[in-house]
Amino acid sequence: MSRTDLDTEPESGPPPRDDRASLGQPKGLLTLSGLEVWERFSFLGMQAILVLYFADTVAHGGTGMSAGTAASVSAAYGTLVYLVSVAGGRLADRVLGSYRAVLWGGILIACGHYAMAVPTTGMTWVGLGLISAGTGLLKPNVATMVGKLYRTDDDRRDAGFALYYMAINIGALAGPLVTGWLGDHKDWHWGFSAAAIGMTLGLVQYVAGRRHLAGRKHSAEFALSPEAMRRAIRLIVTGLALTAAVAFLLAAAGRLTMGRFVDLLTLVSVIAPAFYFAVMFSSLRVAPEERGRLRPYVVLFLASTVFNFILFQAYSTMILLASTNAETTVLGFGFPTGWYASALIAFEVALAPVVAALWVRMGRRQPHASNKIATGVVLGGLSFLLMVLPASGHSSDGYLMSVWWIVGSYLLLGLGDVLLETSGMSATTKLAPAAFAGQTMSLWFLSLALANGLQAQTVKLYDDVSKPAYFGVNGAIAVAAGLLVMAAAPWLRRTMHPVH
């Protein structure tokens, strides 16, 4: 298969309905779902052991960071991923097209994992940079390609997205199980290697199944000729290379330290959403009634930030706490610490259909979207407050809590995530000004970037304060934020129309 074959955008428009397709769905759904299985397998598999690798001793194959620094660097990595995702969606729309963006994003991710499989610290940073860029290209565009498989009146669309979401969760559940076992029984870089192989398998089946995908050419307004596209790509690559070279020189001169880089990402994560909101509030293309709906959306954005500040610590401080102060045996069966990350996903998989069925059963009597989001934030805070109980009353850090404390915390966190993310993304699509429909969803992703950016600063305190104080204060702030959103429910219901 030639490079041209790999890089050619599929034909425009949804493919004709093929009743021979698996489960009555377009064959392209299997291709895209298979890619997501392996992308989530590799991404969350790597993330489940990343903070443990950073915090492990050099003699044992880690980098020797303190626990707080390891959590801070891991959070900064998450910040970078979500910041790049905003640019990735725009790059697909304006330059590459969805198919190419996903293809080259997957290639960068695979190369990044292979780089991390090399047991040197330098290759770790190279790998994380490649994975950040690749995920930013791939993640926001795969869901767009799923939508292109269906015509607007196709009654298979909702069922197709449900199957696609199931594929995401399969990969997310399996990744930490495999990489966690390899990292615990072999070496951290064995775990990174498994993530690399998984992403490679996803790419192979994506290219092999490209004929079943529906690629939509750029609109006439934004179309680029092949030569213009090559120039744009050369410009982007050159800019990234120069940025990397400047960063390397500054680091070599001692001017760009890891701490300063983390601080810079946090600053960008604060500025970017503030800029987006300022542009939308001041834009002449936003009607007065649309501007009115943006005001409650600021509240939802901040609620998402607070909740995800807690959620993302499931892969940092919670994993660190489990690695030092929690049992890793159930009924005599031992398991790696990284497997706790799969427990969180398992709860989300199990609870999502239950919550969906409950809302269907309640119909118009179900809570308003703002109350669902507020409840999710409160549950996130309670998941941290729960950890205060087993962590209290110990004169040293040599204690071990029962596995069920961590599992219970993840149960609350998983339910909160189901409530907040589904309601938040649905409300985003309804509250978005028509002129900024796509960019408002990008703004929702920026709440995740901001959550990671703030987390990158806060987790630095993990080594300096007691565990009950750390989890208690953060949990209490989240609960208070959720209660404030509940208190604002009358105003939110009035200003969020037509969101119910």
Side-chain angles (χ1 to χ4, degrees):
M1 186 176 291
S2 69
R3 180 187 182 282
T4 302
D5 294 330
L6 294 178
D7 198 39
T8 301
E9 189 86 5
E11 293 300 320
S12 177
R17 179 163 179 159
D18 184 355
D19 291 328
R20 295 172 299 169
S22 178
L23 300 177
Q25 296 291 331
K27 290 182 178 179
L29 181 64
L30 182 61
T31 298
L32 295 174
S33 297
L35 177 66
E36 272 289 11
V37 166
W38 291 113
E39 190 277 331
R40 288 292 91 182
F41 174 95
S42 63
F43 182 82
L44 289 179
M46 184 271 289
Q47 193 171 27
I49 63 174
L50 183 63
V51 71
L52 298 174
Y53 162 68
F54 283 150
D56 203 357
T57 62
V58 175
H60 198 255
T63 64
M65 294 182 185
S66 67
T69 301
S72 179
V73 174
S74 296
Y77 162 69
T79 305
L80 186 60
V81 167
Y82 288 110
L83 287 174
V84 176
S85 294
V86 176
R90 191 171 183 84
L91 189 60
D93 289 341
R94 299 294 190 265
V95 181
L96 294 174
S98 297
Y99 174 79
R100 292 188 188 91
V102 171
L103 173 65
W104 291 106
I107 291 172
L108 288 175
I109 293 171
C111 290
H113 285 301
Y114 280 116
M116 293 190 68
V118 179
T120 63
T121 303
M123 292 304 290
T124 295
W125 305 125
V126 171
L128 288 176
L130 291 172
I131 295 169
S132 299
T135 304
L137 278 174
L138 184 146
K139 193 60 182 172
N141 295 307
V142 179
T144 301
M145 294 187 71
V146 173
K148 291 177 182 178
L149 295 173
Y150 304 91
R151 301 186 186 280
T152 54
D153 58 350
D154 195 327
D155 56 9
R156 300 174 297 168
R157 176 185 288 266
D158 288 350
F161 270 97
L163 292 172
Y164 170 71
Y165 182 71
M166 182 179 69
I168 292 175
N169 286 321
I170 290 173
L173 183 64
L177 295 177
V178 174
T179 60
W181 188 90
L182 289 172
D184 190 64
H185 289 77
K186 295 291 185 180
D187 180 81
W188 300 120
H189 298 283
W190 278 70
F192 299 145
S193 297
I197 294 171
M199 193 64 240
T200 301
L201 292 174
L203 275 174
V204 169
Q205 65 86 42
Y206 176 68
V207 173
R210 66 171 300 282
R211 65 186 181 279
H212 302 303
L213 303 178
R216 188 165 296 167
K217 299 289 187 182
H218 304 301
S219 65
E221 181 181 357
F222 299 115
L224 291 179
S225 67
E227 180 56 34
M229 182 182 296
R230 283 191 288 269
R231 285 198 303 269
I233 293 174
R234 283 197 298 267
L235 182 62
I236 292 170
V237 171
T238 301
L240 291 175
L242 288 174
T243 301
V246 170
F248 176 80
L249 292 174
L250 290 174
R255 302 297 297 274
L256 181 62
T257 63
M258 181 57 66
R260 288 175 179 172
F261 182 67
V262 170
D263 293 344
L264 176 62
L265 286 178
T266 297
L267 181 62
V268 174
S269 74
V270 173
I271 292 175
F275 173 78
Y276 259 84
F277 272 119
V279 168
M280 287 193 289
F281 272 111
S282 61
S283 175
L284 297 178
R285 294 185 295 166
V286 176
E289 61 272 19
E290 292 179 321
R291 192 171 290 108
R293 289 195 294 269
L294 274 178
R295 295 188 182 96
Y297 187 68
V298 174
V299 177
L300 303 189
F301 176 91
L302 294 174
S304 172
T305 300
V306 172
F307 174 78
N308 283 290
F309 170 82
I310 299 291
L311 177 68
F312 290 137
Q313 292 192 62
Y315 300 99
S316 58
T317 56
M318 287 291 289
I319 288 289
L320 288 170
L321 180 67
S323 69
T324 56
N325 297 111
E327 297 177 351
T328 52
T329 58
V330 175
L331 301 176
F333 174 76
F335 60 90
T337 303
W339 282 19
Y340 277 113
S342 286
L344 174 60
I345 303 300
F347 283 131
E348 293 183 358
V349 172
L351 292 170
V354 176
V355 171
L358 178 63
W359 298 152
V360 171
R361 185 177 182 84
M362 294 182 69
R364 301 289 294 184
R365 295 180 292 108
Q366 65 184 279
H368 188 260
S370 63
N371 278 329
K372 295 177 186 176
I373 291 171
T375 303
V377 178
V378 170
L379 288 171
L382 291 177
S383 74
F384 261 34
L385 289 178
L386 180 64
M387 301 315 301
V388 174
L389 298 176
S392 298
H394 300 283
S395 58
S396 68
D397 281 338
Y399 66 94
L400 288 180
M401 68 182 72
S402 168
V403 64
W404 302 114
W405 288 107
I406 305 289
V407 170
S409 177
Y410 279 2
L411 172 61
L412 294 172
L413 202 53
L415 178 57
D417 194 31
V418 171
L419 291 175
L420 184 137
E421 290 300 333
T422 54
S423 299
M425 288 190 289
S426 176
T428 296
T429 60
K430 295 177 180 179
L431 296 175
F436 292 91
Q439 293 182 69
T440 307
M441 185 56 73
S442 296
L443 189 57
W444 183 257
F445 281 108
L446 282 178
S447 73
L448 310 184
L450 178 56
N452 268 305
L454 297 176
Q455 181 201 162
Q457 301 303 317
T458 306
V459 294
K460 295 177 182 178
L461 300 174
Y462 184 77
D463 293 320
D464 302 326
V465 300
S466 68
K467 301 300 185 292
Y470 182 85
F471 288 101
V473 171
N474 284 316
I477 291 173
V479 169
L483 293 177
L484 285 174
V485 176
M486 288 183 181
W491 175 75
L492 290 170
R493 280 195 296 269
R494 187 171 62 255
T495 55
M496 286 176 62
H497 181 78
V499 178
H500 301 291

